[in-house]
Amino acid sequence: TPLLASIAAASVAKVLELDAQNLSNTAWAFATVEVFDLPLFEAITDQVQRQIRHFGSQQLVNTAWAFATVALVQVPLLKAISH
């Protein structure tokens, strides 16, 4: 929907401010409503890789699930999650 697309676009700039829980929640939320916004998911990927040491197991699982749900394969992200 146009509203969700606008929210996704506005969220890209905010990703830099999110902690591990909020990054995971954001990816999960957009995947749950089946909104795939490549710039948003790429921004989330970058931040997850920077903050990976702060992610708990549930946050890692939710993030991996979100990326799988939108069928986005980010090899560096998957490697970071698997370690």
Side-chain angles (χ1 to χ4, degrees), residues 1-50:
T1 69
L3 176 61
L4 290 174
S6 294
I7 293 170
S11 298
V12 172
K14 297 292 185 181
V15 165
L16 294 173
E17 302 170 17
L18 301 180
D19 63 9
Q21 182 67 52
N22 289 313
L23 286 165
S24 175
N25 288 351
T26 300
W28 179 89
F30 280 98
T32 298
V33 294
E34 300 177 354
V35 172
F36 173 63
D37 183 84
L38 185 58
L40 176 59
F41 277 86
E42 286 179 339
I44 291 171
T45 296
D46 291 343
Q47 280 304 107
V48 169
Q49 288 179 272
R50 287 186 183 101

